[in-house]
């Protein structure tokens, strides 16, 4: 909002003060705040810092770890269900189609939903996407210039 109101310095300060992670595994969180910071850094003339922040956002993100219940009954049910899924995996076609591109990808290694198998959060952020997310128009333009 500050960037849209013509205060890029204030917006950069605000974004740098936000706790953007990382999560306990060392991977970035709060992807949108990181993408906005890239645009503000770039628009403020800090092109190198913007590129470093973008590289961090583009680091592949691992899938979430499997749930391991502490309750013994729930753990037994979980293990039995996993055994059934393992058997099903042997007899079922494991190919999925990405909705946007039509690319065939393995269902169990599909990455972040909607990204065609990618597990890099930065793939989410395009000029069109940030416009849909209602970023201020001048920030959308700055971000688009960074991406070019």
């Amino acid at each position: 909002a500050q960037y849209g109101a013509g205060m890029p310095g204030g917006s950069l300060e605000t974004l740098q003060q936000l706790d953007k992670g990382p999560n306990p595994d060392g991977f970035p969180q709060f992807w949108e705040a990181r993408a906005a910071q890239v645009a503000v850094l770039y628009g403020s003339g800090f092109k190198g810092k913007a590129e470093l922040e973008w590289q961090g956002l583009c680091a592949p993100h691992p899938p979430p770890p499997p749930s391991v219940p502490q309750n013994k009954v729930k753990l037994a049910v979980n293990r039995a269900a996993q055994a059934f899924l393992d058997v099903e995996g042997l007899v079922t076609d494991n190919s999925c189609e990405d909705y946007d591109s039509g690319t065939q990808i393995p269902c169990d290694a599909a990455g972040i939903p909607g990204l065609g198998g990618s597990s890099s959060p930065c793939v989410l952020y395009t000029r069109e996407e940030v416009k849909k997310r209602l970023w201020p128009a001048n920030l959308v333009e700055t971000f688009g210039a960074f991406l070019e």
Side-chain angles (χ1 to χ4, degrees):
Q2 289 178 329
Y3 197 90
M7 298 184 300
S11 62
L12 180 58
E13 185 177 325
T14 300
L15 285 166
Q16 288 177 330
Q17 289 177 359
L18 286 175
D19 179 13
K20 294 180 289 298
N23 67 12
D25 298 330
F27 292 93
Q29 293 182 337
F30 308 107
W31 300 337
E32 188 151 0
R34 289 176 177 268
Q37 185 172 344
V38 166
V40 173
L41 284 166
Y42 184 81
S44 300
F46 300 109
K47 293 176 175 45
K49 288 182 179 181
E51 191 60 45
L52 285 174
E53 185 72 27
W54 187 249
Q55 287 174 3
L57 188 59
C58 288
H61 202 280
S67 174
V68 181
Q70 301 301 314
N71 179 300
K72 290 181 182 185
V73 173
K74 291 179 181 178
L75 181 61
V77 169
N78 196 352
R79 286 186 179 153
Q82 187 59 52
F84 281 119
L85 289 173
D86 291 342
V87 170
E88 179 200 20
L90 296 173
V91 297
T92 306
D93 179 21
N94 189 27
S95 60
C96 291
E97 181 179 331
D98 178 56
Y99 290 118
D100 294 327
S101 66
T103 306
Q104 293 294 319
I105 51 178
C107 293
D108 294 338
I112 298 171
L115 297 186
S118 176
S119 60
S120 297
C122 67
V123 176
L124 286 167
Y125 298 96
T126 63
R127 180 190 300 251
E128 296 78 26
E129 180 61 28
V130 298
K131 188 174 182 179
K132 289 177 188 175
R133 291 172 182 249
L134 303 178
W135 284 21
N138 56 350
L139 189 59
V140 170
E141 292 306 313
T142 303
F143 187 68
F146 170 79
L147 293 175
E148 294 172 359

